[in-house]
Each structure stands twice: as C-alpha cells, then as structure tokens.
C-alpha cells in the first residue's frame, strides 16, 4: 500500500537526527499519524511535501487570519525587504503601526512591541508590577499565557497549578496565585493589597473556547479597580480576531493593559503590549526598560501594519463573515461527526472554535478534563487523510479567505474521518492513542 505521507516521514526521520524531538515546538509533536512537513500555503489551503492538499483550520496556530501569504502583506513585506531588513534604530513604520494599534484597540493609548506573545506577556507583568509597586499576580486555571516560567503553571490540561514543563524555576511563579475562572468568590478571596495584576484570556480560547459568565468580566474589572490592581487581557489570540478591537471590544470591558500577537503579524513574529497612558508611563519614564534587539523589526512591523490596515478597511464585512464561517464550521464538526458515531462538542465564537470528543457539554475547565483528548487526536489524524488540517488538541481557526467550497469539502471529510475514528475506537484492542498526554498535546 502506498504511503500518503512518505516524504513527510522521511523528513521527520531526517529532522530527528539533528532537531531535538524532530519538531521546532513541542505542540507540533502530537500530530497523528506523524508531524507533517508542509511545502506551501496559499489562502485557506496547505500543500505538504508529498503533494497532498488540505483545507487548513490550524492557520499556523492562529496567526493567518488573512489566510496564507495574503497578497497585501506579501507586497508590503517584499517592498520592505528591498528597502531594509533591520536597522536597530527608529523607523517610520513603527510609529505608524503604533498609531494603528492605538486607533483600533479600545484600551490602547500607548504601546510597545516585542516579538512573541510570551515576551509581551512578560513585559506586561513588569509594567503592572512597576506601576502598582506590588508583586503578586493572579492567573486562572486553564488559561495559557506562553512558555515563560512565571505564568506557565495551571495551563490547559492540568488539574492544578503545577508547572507546564520540566526545568521551570518554581520561585518564578511563587508570586503567582492560580484561581478558578468564572468564580467571583474565589477571586474575591484571592484579591489583596499585594496584587499587582489579574491576567486572563477574556475568552478562554486555549482552555476550550470557554465563555465568561454574563457579568463576570465587568465584575472582575470592578474588583481590580477596587483593589488597586491592574486588569490585563491576554488577547494574543482574540486580538484582531474576535473583533478589530479584540475581546475588549466584543465584550465591552476595557482592561488597563492588553497583550497582542498572532493575527496582528499575519504570520510574522511581532507582538505588543498596549494600555492606558498612565500605566504605560512606566515605559515612557524608563522606570521599566523595555528592550529587545528585534523589537518592531521593520519587516515584521510592515507586515503588521499591512494586516491591520486591511482588517480596518474591511472590518464591516470581514468580522461578520468570520462569525458566519466559524459558526458554520462548528455546526459541521458537531453534526457530521456526531451523526457518524463520534460525539463532538464544539464551542465557538467568531473565527475560532474548540472541538472535544465528549458526550456532555464542555463549559468549564473541569469539563475539559473529562473529554477524550486521545480520541480527538486520532480524529485529527483521520481528517488529515481526508484533506483537512486541524490542531490536534481541538482548536479550529477560520480565516477571512475560507470559502463555501472549503466548508463543503470539510463537511464530507468530517463525516468520513469521524466514521473511521469511531470504527477504530470500537475495536477492543486497537491502535488507539492511549499515550498519556495533557490537553495541550504535551507529553507528560
Ligand atoms: C493567549 C496566549 N498568550 C500567549 C501566548 C504565547 O505566544 P507565543 O507563542 O507567541 O509566545 C499564546 C500562544 O499560543 C496564547 O495563546
């Protein structure tokens, strides 16, 4: 029988000889039947090194909101590449980009740039600690804020505040309190006059696209104000995706600081911290020294400016379209898979969704721990065989360029893949993926 993934397999074997673990980030390792190597991305589609084509709902773990290689971004970047790759000095695009962020994101009066979401989260914590003169930070169980030590505790898939990986410094998170989300009593109990900031994903995308309870965000806003602590929204995923102004625009609750990344750069590594001028004054006054060789690199800044410009120009059309595509995609996964014998629960808002193999609703972190993550990974592998590429742990992203024909193709693929997965799961001793992994796909 011919191997559909022959070249990917050879590529993986080659990579393993020199690239530790064969993948550049551990979250790519859980892909079944193996981590696929890609050769091209265009619009809503990917082509792998074997020439197999896929409708892509992973979108590089979120950033490709405008699809793969969007023409406007490519054109602007090409021009910038010919002009200058890096100056290690000021340039005109960074101010223009900062203006675009401040124009579009409700809390943004000033901003700074970094290269990744993790870095920008770290910068936001520093700014918050300096602005309040306090040290403790509250984060929520099942929320993800990147790989750096202080907040890489209690991430999706973990039952408690344990560290995400070996090698973390326990002292780095000693001033971090992990609270259950959507639980105001727990937050009230954790608050105190030593709290510098409360940080959260305002729509808990990583943990399962879990919704804030009605009134929860505004009450957290009130509690933080009352306690003299800052509210930080980690909008690395929701920024520019849930609305032009992110979750804060969509939910109508404005934080003191917000962290942006992913979609902002249209695939280029750039992130930002933005917020109230009074708080960002820590950077203006240089009490917080915000540094980084590549900060606001002209190529990345150009990509981000082109992306925001396009989103801003067409916001009235693009965001309703994302909502419609996201909702239809969620329905397809829910209905077609369940009809084929693989019960799927799908939470969705705007251009993002999270699917779980589960018989019951998934509305809380505890619910996510009861779902069958291994079964979903197998299903994601079966989807690959049918020409649909998704993230193995359940997240689904749509872009502004997905089309009805993509959804039609997906409908058929989901039915077939679900039937194949259900058949495998029904076998007594099977090729079932029983390897212990957490919900983020990381090996325990
Ligand atoms: C909400 C959130 N914050 C922070 C990060 C970290 O971003 P990065 O991977 O760019 O460091 C991520 C990454 O997935 C994220 O989803």
């Amino acid at each position: 029988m011919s191997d559909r993934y022959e070249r990917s397999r050879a590529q993986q074997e080659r990579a393993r000889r020199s690239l530790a673990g064969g993948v550049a980030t551990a979250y790519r390792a859980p892909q079944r039947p193996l981590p696929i190597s890609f050769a091209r991305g265009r619009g809503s589609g990917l082509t792998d090194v074997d020439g197999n084509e896929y409708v892509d709902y992973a979108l590089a773990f979120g950033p490709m909101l405008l699809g793969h290689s969007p023409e406007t971004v490519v054109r602007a970047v090409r021009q910038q590449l010919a002009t200058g790759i890096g100056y290690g000095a000021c340039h005109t695009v960074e101010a223009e980009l900062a203006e675009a962020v401040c124009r579009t994101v409700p809390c943004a009066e000033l901003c700074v740039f970094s290269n990744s979401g993790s870095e920008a989260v770290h910068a936001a914590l520093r700014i918050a600690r300096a602005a309040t003169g306090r040290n403790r930070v509250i984060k929520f169980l099942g929320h993800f804020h990147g790989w750096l030590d202080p907040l890489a505790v209690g991430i999706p898939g973990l039952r408690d505040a344990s560290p995400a990986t070996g090698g973390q410094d326990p002292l780095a998170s000693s001033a971090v309190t992990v609270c259950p989300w959507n639980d105001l009593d727990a937050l009230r109990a954790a608050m105190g006059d030593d709290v510098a900031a409360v940080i959260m994903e305002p729509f808990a995308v990583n943990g399962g696209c879990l919704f804030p309870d009605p009134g929860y965000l505004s009450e957290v806003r009130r509690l933080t104000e009352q306690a003299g602590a800052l509210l930080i929204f980690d909008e690395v995923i929701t920024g520019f995706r849930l609305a032009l102004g992110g979750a804060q625009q969509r939910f109508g609750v404005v934080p003191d600081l917000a962290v942006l990344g992913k979609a902002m750069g249209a695939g280029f590594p750039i992130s930002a911290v933005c917020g109230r001028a009074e708080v960002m004054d820590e950077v203006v006054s240089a009490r917080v020294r915000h540094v980084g060789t590549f900060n606001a690199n002209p190529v990345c800044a150009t990509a981000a400016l082109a992306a925001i410009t396009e989103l801003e120009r067409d916001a009235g059309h693009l965001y309703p379209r994302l909502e419609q595509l996201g909702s239809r995609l969620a329905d397809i996964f829910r209905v077609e898979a369940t009809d084929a014998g693989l019960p799927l629960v799908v939470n969705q808002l705007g251009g993002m969704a999270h699917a779980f193999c589960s018989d019951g609703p998934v509305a809380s972190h505890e619910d996510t721990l009861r779902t069958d993550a291994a079964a979903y990974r197998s299903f994601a592998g079966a989807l690959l065989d049918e020409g649909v590429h998704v993230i193995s742990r359940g997240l689904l992203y749509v872009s502004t360029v997905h089309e009805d024909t993509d959804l039609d193709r997906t409908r058929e693929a989901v039915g077939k893949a679900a039937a194949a997965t259900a058949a495998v799961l029904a076998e007594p001793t099977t090729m079932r993926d029983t390897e212990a992994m957490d919900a983020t796909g990381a090996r325990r």
Side-chain angles (χ1 to χ4, degrees), residues 61 116-119 121 144-147 201 206 234 236-237 262:
F61 283 79
S116 67
S118 301
E119 265 185 277
V121 164
F144 183 72
H145 302 293
W147 66 271
E201 292 182 70
N206 285 294
D234 180 344
V236 167
I237 293 179
K262 299 217 188 226

Side-chain angles (χ1 to χ4, degrees), residues 93-101 111-116 119-120 123 260 264 270-273 280 290-292 294-297 301 304 308:
V93 184
E94 63 190 2
E96 232 186 302
L97 176 60
E99 286 162 11
V101 169
C111 68
V112 294
F113 296 113
S114 293
N115 307 289
S116 67
E119 265 185 277
L260 306 165
M264 181 174 98
I270 184 162
S271 58
V273 183
M280 295 297 289
H290 179 68
V291 299
F294 297 112
N295 287 355
N297 164 275
I308 297 176

Side-chain angles (χ1 to χ4, degrees), residues 142-145 156 181 199-207 232 234 237:
H143 291 211
F144 183 72
H145 302 293
W181 194 56
I199 184 167
M200 69 161 86
E201 292 182 70
F203 177 54
V205 184
N206 285 294
I232 306 174
D234 180 344
I237 293 179

Side-chain angles (χ1 to χ4, degrees), residues 175-364:
V176 175
T177 302
V178 179
C179 265
W181 194 56
N182 268 338
D183 183 338
L184 286 168
D185 287 340
L187 183 60
R188 281 191 200 101
M191 283 304 259
D193 60 10
D194 60 339
V195 175
V198 173
I199 184 167
M200 69 161 86
E201 292 182 70
F203 177 54
V205 184
N206 285 294
C209 283
L210 307 178
F211 287 75
D213 287 343
Y216 179 72
L217 295 180
S218 47
E219 186 56 13
V220 177
R221 174 68 287 189
R222 200 188 65 74
L223 287 174
T224 47
E225 258 164 30
Q226 192 181 47
L230 300 185
L231 177 60
I232 306 174
F233 278 179
D234 180 344
E235 299 229 41
V236 167
I237 293 179
T238 50
F240 299 105
R241 177 172 273 283
L242 201 45
L244 186 62
Q248 52 194 283
Q249 177 187 327
R250 179 91 185 217
F251 294 129
V253 173
V254 180
D256 299 292
L257 292 172
V259 184
L260 306 165
K262 299 217 188 226
M264 181 174 98
F268 285 80
I270 184 162
S271 58
V273 183
C274 58
R276 282 201 290 125
E278 192 193 341
V279 177
M280 295 297 289
D281 188 54
E282 295 306 316
V283 179
V284 177
S285 67
R287 283 190 293 276
V288 170
R289 282 160 52 79
H290 179 68
V291 299
T293 303
F294 297 112
N295 287 355
N297 164 275
V299 177
C300 301
T302 296
L305 181 60
I308 297 176
T309 305
E310 174 148 345
L311 291 168
E312 209 177 353
R313 190 183 49 229
D314 213 8
H317 164 71
L318 292 181
Y319 289 97
R321 172 81 182 145
L322 281 169
E323 183 65 57
Q324 191 202 41
L325 281 168
S327 155
R328 286 174 58 197
L329 181 69
D331 276 346
I332 287 171
F333 269 67
R334 209 178 276 132
V335 174
E336 301 297 326
T338 305
D339 283 357
L342 185 74
L344 279 194
V345 168
V346 188
N347 297 332
Q348 172 266 333
L349 186 65
M352 67 203 97
H354 204 303
F356 293 95
C357 284
S358 171
D359 291 323
V362 183
S364 68

Side-chain angles (χ1 to χ4, degrees), residues 121-135:
V121 164
H122 210 63
L125 293 190
R126 275 201 183 155
I127 293 168
R129 284 179 166 137
T132 56
R134 301 168 173 190
N135 199 37

